[in-house]
Amino acid sequence: MKNSLFRKGVLAFSALTLTFSASSALAQCDDGEIVAKFSHVTGGTTHPKVVAANNFAARVNEEMNGIMCVEVFPNSTLFGDSKELEALLLGDVQFLAPSLSKFGSYTRKYGVFDLPFIFEDIDAAIRFTQSDTGRALLNDMSDLGFVGLGYWMSGMKYFSANKPLIVPSDANGLKFRVQASDVAKAMIAAMGASPQPMAFAEVYGALQTGVVDGQENTWSNIYTKKFFEVQDSVTETNHQLLAYLFMTSTDFLDSLEPAVRDQLLIIADEVTQQANLDVKAAEAKNRQNILDSGGTINELSAEQRAEWVEAMRPVWDQFEGDIGVEIIESAASS
Ligand code: SIN
């Protein structure tokens, strides 16, 4: 409390009023407040996850001042991909928003989000997450101690490489960094290329030094992590979704007084809705940022795009058993 209401108010004001930027400064937490850490791997100021995480912290720090204080650690500065879920269960961090592709060791069902071309666009993905099937998946890992607070969309994904990729055969023999996802690995193999799972924090260096030839990501990640600077070009394949599970742990949520928990859950829900309203504009802005910074984007004709769809079609059948036909059908018809 004391002077911190003013200090936090300033942080909250700056994060809420800047549409695409957010303060990365740590909140000043006071004695007696529940201090909750939010760790994530993305960076920059225009990234949808950066903005949403900072908005969440700003709102908690303003509206729950004296009760709870959220500190945000972006850019893998607290935990990277490989450690963050374990850290959540150990109570070393209280909030995360990992990519849905990174849950393969905990649930096979999230593979549905990785199936190539299953979602026409972000709106279709949002519709799926709001369906009964999507809502049930939010807490698919509750028996493990994970609580899904909401899905945060990040964007559709695009391939980049050290040579132009126009049709799938252009990728033959190349090595692509992928997230730790069996579906992503199968998808790269279907293109006649080699998948190389790797933590997000290592991707820029791996592209720069030629450890891998290419990667797949959203405009926001390609811009804020400067991948476009160390690639020939990015191809507008729109082939896959990137979305996050905004999450906490059962232990943390159960440790809160009911009124505190309820207030927190309302803020989490409102921040999630806002994040999903803002995401398309953020992606469009970061696509333009890439062009303005000298990056090259290859657009595809309908025929060229159809070749990518055809090349990746076998991947769905491969994962039908793991994911479940009903879940796949529900996502595909969203
Ligand atoms: C993220 O956006 O959180 C990281 C995505 C990736 O690992 O490619």
Side-chain angles (χ1 to χ4, degrees):
M1 284 188 284
K2 300 162 273 183
N3 295 328
S4 64
L5 180 56
F6 172 72
R7 248 186 345 252
K8 289 181 194 171
V10 170
L11 280 179
F13 178 78
S14 55
L16 288 170
T17 52
L18 297 177
T19 315
F20 294 117
S21 68
S23 165
S24 59
L26 279 186
Q28 306 286 308
C29 299
D30 297 323
D31 291 348
E33 288 182 316
I34 300 161
V35 177
K37 296 187 174 76
F38 190 148
S39 173
H40 67 83
V41 301
T42 53
T45 56
T46 57
H47 193 289
K49 181 154 63 180
V50 171
V51 174
N54 288 359
N55 280 347
F56 174 67
R59 284 205 47 191
V60 170
N61 296 348
E62 184 185 27
E63 295 166 36
M64 301 181 73
N65 183 48
I67 301 169
M68 189 179 293
C69 177
V70 174
E71 298 178 326
V72 183
F73 297 85
N75 267 323
S76 311
T77 46
L78 187 60
F79 295 107
D81 285 330
S82 61
K83 292 275 185 290
E84 59 182 9
L85 288 166
E86 210 178 296
L88 185 68
L89 292 178
L90 290 171
D92 294 334
V93 63
Q94 286 69 40
F95 296 105
L96 300 174
S99 156
L100 296 169
S101 314
K102 293 176 182 168
F103 288 91
S105 342
Y106 299 95
T107 174
R108 306 294 287 171
K109 292 183 189 158
Y110 278 21
V112 70
F113 295 102
D114 277 349
L115 289 179
F117 299 104
I118 195 159
F119 299 113
E120 183 63 31
D121 51 25
I122 297 177
D123 290 334
I126 292 176
R127 282 195 297 276
F128 174 62
T129 58
Q130 291 172 346
S131 69
D132 289 348
T133 310
R135 276 207 295 270
L137 284 179
L138 191 62
N139 279 306
D140 188 54
M141 298 171 290
S142 56
D143 54 337
L144 302 174
F146 293 136
V147 178
L149 297 169
Y151 296 103
W152 288 357
M153 297 297 130
S154 185
M156 301 306 287
K157 282 161 68 176
Y158 313 97
F159 282 112
S160 69
N162 53 14
K163 61 178 266 203
L165 300 174
I166 306 302
V167 289
S169 58
D170 293 331
N172 281 171
L174 299 187
K175 197 184 272 187
F176 285 84
R177 177 269 174 176
V178 290
Q179 299 183 55
S181 153
D182 286 348
V183 179
K185 283 192 249 173
M187 187 182 74
I188 299 297
M191 290 157 43
S194 312
Q196 176 76 53
M198 187 182 290
F200 186 57
E202 292 165 23
V203 180
Y204 182 91
L207 293 171
Q208 189 180 38
T209 55
V211 168
V212 290
D213 303 299
Q215 63 86 47
E216 40 150 16
N217 235 304
T218 58
W219 298 129
S220 298
N221 276 334
I222 293 169
Y223 175 66
T224 58
K225 290 293 177 183
K226 302 189 189 310
F227 298 158
F228 68 95
E229 289 182 0
V230 285
Q231 295 278 263
D232 172 88
S233 50
V234 188
T235 301
E236 203 149 29
T237 41
N238 216 38
H239 61 278
Q240 204 187 35
L241 174 75
L242 176 63
Y244 308 121
L245 186 70
F246 173 34
M247 66 191 297
T248 185
S249 67
T250 315
D251 283 352
F252 177 66
L253 219 48
D254 287 353
S255 73
L256 304 176
E257 295 292 333
V260 172
R261 188 168 59 226
D262 289 351
Q263 189 178 6
L264 183 73
L265 293 178
I266 289 169
I267 294 174
D269 191 48
E270 289 175 358
V271 167
T272 296
Q273 288 182 38
Q274 191 59 51
N276 289 336
L277 284 176
D278 292 344
V279 66
K280 280 196 279 184
E283 275 287 275
K285 183 175 169 65
N286 284 323
R287 183 186 189 281
Q288 190 58 44
N289 285 340
I290 292 171
L291 292 172
D292 293 347
S293 308
T296 303
I297 295 175
N298 308 310
E299 295 179 16
L300 297 179
S301 68
E303 292 73 26
Q304 288 161 342
R305 188 160 184 276
E307 285 199 42
W308 290 91
V309 175
E310 195 52 35
M312 295 178 190
R313 196 179 292 281
V315 175
W316 286 34
D317 290 344
Q318 256 178 278
F319 291 90
E320 201 177 85
D322 282 346
I323 298 167
V325 180
E326 280 176 22
I327 293 176
I328 295 178
E329 281 176 357
S330 168
S333 61
S334 294

